mmCIF file of all heavy atoms in Angstrom:
data_model
loop_
_atom_site.group_PDB
_atom_site.id
_atom_site.type_symbol
_atom_site.label_atom_id
_atom_site.label_comp_id
_atom_site.label_asym_id
_atom_site.label_seq_id
_atom_site.Cartn_x
_atom_site.Cartn_y
_atom_site.Cartn_z
ATOM 1 N N GLY A 140 -0.570 31.856 -7.341
ATOM 2 C CA GLY A 140 0.552 32.490 -6.648
ATOM 3 C C GLY A 140 1.119 33.624 -7.470
ATOM 4 O O GLY A 140 0.537 34.103 -8.427
ATOM 5 N N GLU A 141 2.303 34.048 -7.053
ATOM 6 C CA GLU A 141 2.948 35.153 -7.764
ATOM 7 C C GLU A 141 3.435 34.762 -9.153
ATOM 8 O O GLU A 141 3.609 35.636 -10.021
ATOM 9 C CB GLU A 141 4.121 35.678 -6.921
ATOM 10 C CG GLU A 141 3.691 36.335 -5.625
ATOM 11 C CD GLU A 141 4.867 36.889 -4.838
ATOM 12 O OE1 GLU A 141 6.015 36.755 -5.324
ATOM 13 O OE2 GLU A 141 4.653 37.460 -3.734
ATOM 14 N N ALA A 142 3.661 33.461 -9.361
ATOM 15 C CA ALA A 142 4.133 32.972 -10.662
ATOM 16 C C ALA A 142 3.514 31.574 -10.887
ATOM 17 O O ALA A 142 3.149 30.890 -9.945
ATOM 18 C CB ALA A 142 5.661 32.884 -10.692
ATOM 19 N N PRO A 143 3.361 31.174 -12.179
ATOM 20 C CA PRO A 143 2.725 29.899 -12.469
ATOM 21 C C PRO A 143 3.384 28.686 -11.792
ATOM 22 O O PRO A 143 2.726 27.736 -11.427
ATOM 23 C CB PRO A 143 2.833 29.791 -14.002
ATOM 24 C CG PRO A 143 2.884 31.208 -14.458
ATOM 25 C CD PRO A 143 3.644 31.947 -13.415
ATOM 26 N N PHE A 144 4.734 28.747 -11.613
ATOM 27 C CA PHE A 144 5.429 27.611 -11.006
ATOM 28 C C PHE A 144 5.425 27.693 -9.461
ATOM 29 O O PHE A 144 6.059 26.854 -8.842
ATOM 30 C CB PHE A 144 6.873 27.527 -11.514
ATOM 31 C CG PHE A 144 6.984 26.835 -12.851
ATOM 32 C CD1 PHE A 144 6.863 27.561 -14.024
ATOM 33 C CD2 PHE A 144 7.206 25.466 -12.943
ATOM 34 C CE1 PHE A 144 6.937 26.969 -15.263
ATOM 35 C CE2 PHE A 144 7.258 24.852 -14.166
ATOM 36 C CZ PHE A 144 7.159 25.592 -15.338
ATOM 37 N N SER A 145 4.712 28.666 -8.912
ATOM 38 C CA SER A 145 4.680 28.823 -7.446
ATOM 39 C C SER A 145 3.281 29.028 -6.940
ATOM 40 O O SER A 145 2.950 30.067 -6.332
ATOM 41 C CB SER A 145 5.569 30.009 -7.057
ATOM 42 O OG SER A 145 6.877 29.867 -7.519
ATOM 43 N N PRO A 146 2.356 28.080 -7.166
ATOM 44 C CA PRO A 146 1.024 28.231 -6.587
ATOM 45 C C PRO A 146 1.096 28.129 -5.077
ATOM 46 O O PRO A 146 2.002 27.488 -4.483
ATOM 47 C CB PRO A 146 0.268 27.051 -7.163
ATOM 48 C CG PRO A 146 1.311 26.009 -7.554
ATOM 49 C CD PRO A 146 2.529 26.808 -7.936
ATOM 50 N N ARG A 147 0.149 28.830 -4.423
ATOM 51 C CA ARG A 147 0.087 28.694 -2.959
ATOM 52 C C ARG A 147 -0.694 27.436 -2.591
ATOM 53 O O ARG A 147 -1.648 27.073 -3.276
ATOM 54 C CB ARG A 147 -0.617 29.944 -2.388
ATOM 55 C CG ARG A 147 0.161 31.215 -2.562
ATOM 56 C CD ARG A 147 -0.697 32.404 -2.092
ATOM 57 N NE ARG A 147 -1.813 32.698 -3.021
ATOM 58 C CZ ARG A 147 -2.980 33.181 -2.666
ATOM 59 N NH1 ARG A 147 -3.217 33.466 -1.374
ATOM 60 N NH2 ARG A 147 -3.900 33.423 -3.551
ATOM 61 N N VAL A 148 -0.261 26.784 -1.540
ATOM 62 C CA VAL A 148 -0.847 25.519 -1.094
ATOM 63 C C VAL A 148 -1.463 25.687 0.307
ATOM 64 O O VAL A 148 -0.811 26.220 1.180
ATOM 65 C CB VAL A 148 0.168 24.382 -1.072
ATOM 66 C CG1 VAL A 148 -0.465 23.089 -0.530
ATOM 67 C CG2 VAL A 148 0.723 24.131 -2.493
ATOM 68 N N ARG A 149 -2.701 25.242 0.436
ATOM 69 C CA ARG A 149 -3.363 25.275 1.739
ATOM 70 C C ARG A 149 -3.988 23.898 2.002
ATOM 71 O O ARG A 149 -4.512 23.256 1.068
ATOM 72 C CB ARG A 149 -4.387 26.386 1.806
ATOM 73 C CG ARG A 149 -3.800 27.739 1.752
ATOM 74 C CD ARG A 149 -4.779 28.857 1.951
ATOM 75 N NE ARG A 149 -4.085 30.164 1.827
ATOM 76 C CZ ARG A 149 -4.706 31.313 1.723
ATOM 77 N NH1 ARG A 149 -6.039 31.387 1.724
ATOM 78 N NH2 ARG A 149 -4.035 32.440 1.599
ATOM 79 N N PHE A 150 -3.882 23.456 3.251
ATOM 80 C CA PHE A 150 -4.483 22.171 3.653
ATOM 81 C C PHE A 150 -5.731 22.476 4.481
ATOM 82 O O PHE A 150 -5.712 23.283 5.403
ATOM 83 C CB PHE A 150 -3.469 21.379 4.438
ATOM 84 C CG PHE A 150 -2.208 21.073 3.696
ATOM 85 C CD1 PHE A 150 -1.079 21.857 3.850
ATOM 86 C CD2 PHE A 150 -2.199 20.035 2.783
ATOM 87 C CE1 PHE A 150 0.079 21.611 3.129
ATOM 88 C CE2 PHE A 150 -1.041 19.758 2.032
ATOM 89 C CZ PHE A 150 0.079 20.555 2.220
ATOM 90 N N ILE A 151 -6.796 21.789 4.112
ATOM 91 C CA ILE A 151 -8.064 22.072 4.811
ATOM 92 C C ILE A 151 -8.664 20.815 5.375
ATOM 93 O O ILE A 151 -8.542 19.709 4.814
ATOM 94 C CB ILE A 151 -9.070 22.788 3.846
ATOM 95 C CG1 ILE A 151 -9.374 21.937 2.636
ATOM 96 C CG2 ILE A 151 -8.517 24.144 3.416
ATOM 97 C CD1 ILE A 151 -10.760 21.343 2.602
ATOM 98 N N ASP A 152 -9.348 20.955 6.484
ATOM 99 C CA ASP A 152 -10.130 19.871 7.110
ATOM 100 C C ASP A 152 -11.453 20.469 7.526
ATOM 101 O O ASP A 152 -11.496 21.320 8.409
ATOM 102 C CB ASP A 152 -9.366 19.277 8.293
ATOM 103 C CG ASP A 152 -10.176 18.217 9.022
ATOM 104 O OD1 ASP A 152 -11.218 17.782 8.513
ATOM 105 O OD2 ASP A 152 -9.760 17.806 10.129
ATOM 106 N N MET A 153 -12.520 20.044 6.912
ATOM 107 C CA MET A 153 -13.829 20.646 7.219
ATOM 108 C C MET A 153 -14.414 20.192 8.544
ATOM 109 O O MET A 153 -15.283 20.853 9.073
ATOM 110 C CB MET A 153 -14.792 20.369 6.057
ATOM 111 C CG MET A 153 -14.265 20.966 4.741
ATOM 112 S SD MET A 153 -15.455 20.918 3.421
ATOM 113 C CE MET A 153 -14.461 21.514 2.048
ATOM 114 N N LYS A 154 -13.961 19.064 9.097
ATOM 115 C CA LYS A 154 -14.107 18.685 10.500
ATOM 116 C C LYS A 154 -15.539 18.403 10.976
ATOM 117 O O LYS A 154 -15.717 17.932 12.071
ATOM 118 C CB LYS A 154 -13.480 19.727 11.430
ATOM 119 C CG LYS A 154 -11.954 19.810 11.323
ATOM 120 C CD LYS A 154 -11.373 20.760 12.345
ATOM 121 C CE LYS A 154 -9.867 20.819 12.230
ATOM 122 N NZ LYS A 154 -9.273 21.742 13.238
ATOM 123 N N LYS A 155 -16.508 18.711 10.200
ATOM 124 C CA LYS A 155 -17.895 18.523 10.649
ATOM 125 C C LYS A 155 -18.630 17.585 9.696
ATOM 126 O O LYS A 155 -18.243 17.406 8.515
ATOM 127 C CB LYS A 155 -18.618 19.874 10.753
ATOM 128 C CG LYS A 155 -18.648 20.677 9.456
ATOM 129 C CD LYS A 155 -19.223 22.086 9.735
ATOM 130 C CE LYS A 155 -19.174 22.926 8.459
ATOM 131 N NZ LYS A 155 -19.704 24.296 8.686
ATOM 132 N N PRO A 156 -19.732 17.002 10.150
ATOM 133 C CA PRO A 156 -20.476 16.056 9.299
ATOM 134 C C PRO A 156 -21.268 16.817 8.214
ATOM 135 O O PRO A 156 -22.392 17.291 8.439
ATOM 136 C CB PRO A 156 -21.429 15.359 10.272
ATOM 137 C CG PRO A 156 -21.563 16.304 11.424
ATOM 138 C CD PRO A 156 -20.275 17.050 11.509
ATOM 139 N N LEU A 157 -20.696 16.859 7.053
ATOM 140 C CA LEU A 157 -21.282 17.595 5.905
ATOM 141 C C LEU A 157 -21.996 16.660 4.913
ATOM 142 O O LEU A 157 -22.912 17.115 4.220
ATOM 143 C CB LEU A 157 -20.178 18.365 5.137
ATOM 144 C CG LEU A 157 -19.605 19.588 5.814
ATOM 145 C CD1 LEU A 157 -18.329 20.026 5.129
ATOM 146 C CD2 LEU A 157 -20.643 20.730 5.816
ATOM 147 N N LEU A 158 -21.560 15.416 4.857
ATOM 148 C CA LEU A 158 -22.029 14.513 3.802
ATOM 149 C C LEU A 158 -22.654 13.256 4.397
ATOM 150 O O LEU A 158 -22.299 12.796 5.493
ATOM 151 C CB LEU A 158 -20.854 14.088 2.904
ATOM 152 C CG LEU A 158 -20.029 15.179 2.239
ATOM 153 C CD1 LEU A 158 -18.813 14.584 1.545
ATOM 154 C CD2 LEU A 158 -20.862 15.987 1.249
ATOM 155 N N VAL A 159 -23.555 12.663 3.615
ATOM 156 C CA VAL A 159 -24.043 11.311 3.905
ATOM 157 C C VAL A 159 -24.418 10.691 2.584
ATOM 158 O O VAL A 159 -24.830 11.352 1.626
ATOM 159 C CB VAL A 159 -25.271 11.364 4.873
ATOM 160 C CG1 VAL A 159 -26.475 11.994 4.164
ATOM 161 C CG2 VAL A 159 -25.589 9.972 5.401
ATOM 162 N N ILE A 160 -24.204 9.370 2.482
ATOM 163 C CA ILE A 160 -24.613 8.609 1.289
ATOM 164 C C ILE A 160 -25.768 7.711 1.735
ATOM 165 O O ILE A 160 -25.544 6.664 2.348
ATOM 166 C CB ILE A 160 -23.435 7.754 0.708
ATOM 167 C CG1 ILE A 160 -22.229 8.623 0.501
ATOM 168 C CG2 ILE A 160 -23.867 7.095 -0.574
ATOM 169 C CD1 ILE A 160 -20.960 7.838 0.141
ATOM 170 N N PRO A 161 -26.993 8.087 1.486
ATOM 171 C CA PRO A 161 -28.132 7.360 2.031
ATOM 172 C C PRO A 161 -28.380 6.027 1.280
ATOM 173 O O PRO A 161 -28.294 5.969 0.046
ATOM 174 C CB PRO A 161 -29.304 8.316 1.852
ATOM 175 C CG PRO A 161 -28.909 9.181 0.698
ATOM 176 C CD PRO A 161 -27.430 9.309 0.747
ATOM 177 N N ASN A 162 -28.690 5.021 2.047
ATOM 178 C CA ASN A 162 -29.107 3.741 1.463
ATOM 179 C C ASN A 162 -30.486 3.902 0.809
ATOM 180 O O ASN A 162 -31.277 4.798 1.154
ATOM 181 C CB ASN A 162 -29.234 2.682 2.576
ATOM 182 C CG ASN A 162 -28.208 1.571 2.413
ATOM 183 O OD1 ASN A 162 -28.093 0.971 1.370
ATOM 184 N ND2 ASN A 162 -27.496 1.317 3.501
ATOM 185 N N LEU A 163 -30.742 3.045 -0.138
ATOM 186 C CA LEU A 163 -32.116 2.935 -0.715
ATOM 187 C C LEU A 163 -32.952 2.112 0.224
ATOM 188 O O LEU A 163 -32.508 1.001 0.666
ATOM 189 C CB LEU A 163 -32.040 2.302 -2.094
ATOM 190 C CG LEU A 163 -33.312 2.240 -2.938
ATOM 191 C CD1 LEU A 163 -33.823 3.647 -3.214
ATOM 192 C CD2 LEU A 163 -33.062 1.510 -4.244
ATOM 193 N N ALA A 164 -34.143 2.543 0.573
ATOM 194 C CA ALA A 164 -34.999 1.841 1.511
ATOM 195 C C ALA A 164 -35.291 0.430 1.021
ATOM 196 O O ALA A 164 -35.411 0.183 -0.197
ATOM 197 C CB ALA A 164 -36.311 2.604 1.714
ATOM 198 N N ILE A 165 -35.428 -0.489 1.963
ATOM 199 C CA ILE A 165 -35.685 -1.901 1.589
ATOM 200 C C ILE A 165 -37.005 -2.041 0.822
ATOM 201 O O ILE A 165 -37.133 -2.941 0.011
ATOM 202 C CB ILE A 165 -35.681 -2.777 2.868
ATOM 203 C CG1 ILE A 165 -35.603 -4.261 2.449
ATOM 204 C CG2 ILE A 165 -36.872 -2.469 3.749
ATOM 205 C CD1 ILE A 165 -35.362 -5.156 3.626
ATOM 206 N N HIS A 166 -37.950 -1.104 1.048
ATOM 207 C CA HIS A 166 -39.221 -1.180 0.322
ATOM 208 C C HIS A 166 -39.038 -0.945 -1.160
ATOM 209 O O HIS A 166 -39.881 -1.354 -1.975
ATOM 210 C CB HIS A 166 -40.198 -0.124 0.916
ATOM 211 C CG HIS A 166 -40.249 -0.120 2.390
ATOM 212 N ND1 HIS A 166 -39.293 0.487 3.169
ATOM 213 C CD2 HIS A 166 -41.146 -0.692 3.239
ATOM 214 C CE1 HIS A 166 -39.594 0.331 4.424
ATOM 215 N NE2 HIS A 166 -40.699 -0.366 4.527
ATOM 216 N N MET A 167 -37.963 -0.244 -1.508
ATOM 217 C CA MET A 167 -37.648 0.026 -2.923
ATOM 218 C C MET A 167 -36.586 -0.899 -3.475
ATOM 219 O O MET A 167 -36.227 -0.820 -4.641
ATOM 220 C CB MET A 167 -37.214 1.491 -3.075
ATOM 221 C CG MET A 167 -38.212 2.499 -2.562
ATOM 222 S SD MET A 167 -37.510 4.157 -2.574
ATOM 223 C CE MET A 167 -38.805 5.087 -1.767
ATOM 224 N N ASN A 168 -36.050 -1.762 -2.590
ATOM 225 C CA ASN A 168 -34.990 -2.685 -3.014
ATOM 226 C C ASN A 168 -35.125 -3.924 -2.180
ATOM 227 O O ASN A 168 -34.351 -4.154 -1.254
ATOM 228 C CB ASN A 168 -33.629 -2.007 -2.814
ATOM 229 C CG ASN A 168 -32.500 -2.839 -3.399
ATOM 230 O OD1 ASN A 168 -32.726 -3.839 -4.035
ATOM 231 N ND2 ASN A 168 -31.292 -2.407 -3.100
ATOM 232 N N ARG A 169 -36.101 -4.744 -2.481
ATOM 233 C CA ARG A 169 -36.447 -5.902 -1.688
ATOM 234 C C ARG A 169 -35.332 -6.938 -1.596
ATOM 235 O O ARG A 169 -35.302 -7.773 -0.688
ATOM 236 C CB ARG A 169 -37.716 -6.564 -2.218
ATOM 237 C CG ARG A 169 -38.970 -5.703 -2.128
ATOM 238 C CD ARG A 169 -39.458 -5.525 -0.718
ATOM 239 N NE ARG A 169 -40.694 -4.744 -0.621
ATOM 240 C CZ ARG A 169 -41.327 -4.476 0.496
ATOM 241 N NH1 ARG A 169 -40.834 -4.922 1.657
ATOM 242 N NH2 ARG A 169 -42.439 -3.786 0.501
ATOM 243 N N GLU A 170 -34.388 -6.904 -2.544
ATOM 244 C CA GLU A 170 -33.318 -7.893 -2.559
ATOM 245 C C GLU A 170 -32.046 -7.403 -1.897
ATOM 246 O O GLU A 170 -31.010 -8.039 -1.970
ATOM 247 C CB GLU A 170 -32.956 -8.235 -4.029
ATOM 248 C CG GLU A 170 -34.048 -8.962 -4.791
ATOM 249 C CD GLU A 170 -35.172 -8.034 -5.236
ATOM 250 O OE1 GLU A 170 -34.849 -6.879 -5.604
ATOM 251 O OE2 GLU A 170 -36.351 -8.453 -5.193
ATOM 252 N N VAL A 171 -32.137 -6.284 -1.155
ATOM 253 C CA VAL A 171 -30.917 -5.700 -0.585
ATOM 254 C C VAL A 171 -30.188 -6.653 0.311
ATOM 255 O O VAL A 171 -28.938 -6.697 0.348
ATOM 256 C CB VAL A 171 -31.246 -4.373 0.135
ATOM 257 C CG1 VAL A 171 -32.151 -4.596 1.366
ATOM 258 C CG2 VAL A 171 -29.967 -3.681 0.541
ATOM 259 N N ASN A 172 -30.896 -7.483 1.104
ATOM 260 C CA ASN A 172 -30.260 -8.399 2.013
ATOM 261 C C ASN A 172 -29.753 -9.677 1.350
ATOM 262 O O ASN A 172 -29.135 -10.542 1.993
ATOM 263 C CB ASN A 172 -31.196 -8.768 3.176
ATOM 264 C CG ASN A 172 -31.432 -7.584 4.079
ATOM 265 O OD1 ASN A 172 -30.525 -6.788 4.315
ATOM 266 N ND2 ASN A 172 -32.652 -7.451 4.588
ATOM 267 N N ASP A 173 -30.008 -9.793 0.041
ATOM 268 C CA ASP A 173 -29.434 -10.866 -0.754
ATOM 269 C C ASP A 173 -28.083 -10.466 -1.343
ATOM 270 O O ASP A 173 -27.430 -11.268 -1.995
ATOM 271 C CB ASP A 173 -30.372 -11.309 -1.885
ATOM 272 C CG ASP A 173 -31.681 -11.837 -1.348
ATOM 273 O OD1 ASP A 173 -31.638 -12.444 -0.223
ATOM 274 O OD2 ASP A 173 -32.730 -11.644 -1.997
ATOM 275 N N GLY A 174 -27.726 -9.200 -1.163
ATOM 276 C CA GLY A 174 -26.473 -8.710 -1.719
ATOM 277 C C GLY A 174 -26.733 -7.828 -2.930
ATOM 278 O O GLY A 174 -27.349 -8.319 -3.907
ATOM 279 N N VAL A 175 -26.338 -6.606 -2.872
ATOM 280 C CA VAL A 175 -26.590 -5.652 -3.997
ATOM 281 C C VAL A 175 -25.289 -5.058 -4.425
ATOM 282 O O VAL A 175 -24.454 -4.598 -3.626
ATOM 283 C CB VAL A 175 -27.548 -4.502 -3.545
ATOM 284 C CG1 VAL A 175 -27.648 -3.454 -4.599
ATOM 285 C CG2 VAL A 175 -28.935 -5.080 -3.232
ATOM 286 N N LYS A 176 -25.023 -5.084 -5.721
ATOM 287 C CA LYS A 176 -23.837 -4.460 -6.301
ATOM 288 C C LYS A 176 -24.037 -2.992 -6.395
ATOM 289 O O LYS A 176 -25.003 -2.521 -7.031
ATOM 290 C CB LYS A 176 -23.538 -5.071 -7.673
ATOM 291 C CG LYS A 176 -22.262 -4.564 -8.326
ATOM 292 C CD LYS A 176 -22.059 -5.265 -9.677
ATOM 293 C CE LYS A 176 -20.828 -4.712 -10.391
ATOM 294 N NZ LYS A 176 -19.581 -5.065 -9.732
ATOM 295 N N LEU A 177 -23.146 -2.211 -5.795
ATOM 296 C CA LEU A 177 -23.237 -0.765 -5.826
ATOM 297 C C LEU A 177 -22.467 -0.208 -7.001
ATOM 298 O O LEU A 177 -21.306 -0.598 -7.232
ATOM 299 C CB LEU A 177 -22.694 -0.165 -4.502
ATOM 300 C CG LEU A 177 -23.476 -0.524 -3.253
ATOM 301 C CD1 LEU A 177 -22.749 0.011 -2.021
ATOM 302 C CD2 LEU A 177 -24.876 0.077 -3.305
ATOM 303 N N ASN A 178 -23.099 0.706 -7.746
ATOM 304 C CA ASN A 178 -22.431 1.342 -8.863
ATOM 305 C C ASN A 178 -21.785 2.639 -8.361
ATOM 306 O O ASN A 178 -22.450 3.537 -7.884
ATOM 307 C CB ASN A 178 -23.484 1.671 -9.953
ATOM 308 C CG ASN A 178 -22.862 2.224 -11.199
ATOM 309 O OD1 ASN A 178 -22.079 3.194 -11.155
ATOM 310 N ND2 ASN A 178 -23.249 1.719 -12.343
ATOM 311 N N PRO A 179 -20.443 2.748 -8.476
ATOM 312 C CA PRO A 179 -19.745 3.920 -7.937
ATOM 313 C C PRO A 179 -20.271 5.251 -8.472
ATOM 314 O O PRO A 179 -20.279 6.250 -7.779
ATOM 315 C CB PRO A 179 -18.307 3.692 -8.312
ATOM 316 C CG PRO A 179 -18.176 2.245 -8.488
ATOM 317 C CD PRO A 179 -19.491 1.772 -9.057
ATOM 318 N N GLN A 180 -20.712 5.270 -9.743
ATOM 319 C CA GLN A 180 -21.163 6.510 -10.342
ATOM 320 C C GLN A 180 -22.601 6.863 -9.987
ATOM 321 O O GLN A 180 -22.983 8.020 -10.003
ATOM 322 C CB GLN A 180 -21.010 6.449 -11.885
ATOM 323 C CG GLN A 180 -21.257 7.776 -12.595
ATOM 324 C CD GLN A 180 -20.264 8.859 -12.199
ATOM 325 O OE1 GLN A 180 -19.096 8.776 -12.544
ATOM 326 N NE2 GLN A 180 -20.704 9.851 -11.442
#
Side-chain angles (χ1 to χ4, degrees):
E141 294 182 0
F144 278 87
S145 303
R147 292 174 290 150
V148 176
R149 292 185 183 169
F150 300 98
I151 60 108
D152 176 10
M153 300 189 185
K154 294 185 179 180
K155 56 187 177 182
L157 286 166
L158 305 173
V159 68
I160 308 172
N162 246 308
L163 187 61
I165 194 170
H166 313 80
M167 304 173 185
N168 187 8
R169 296 288 183 180
E170 293 77 36
V171 65
N172 291 324
D173 298 328
V175 172
K176 184 179 177 67
L177 295 173
N178 184 311
Q180 189 62 71

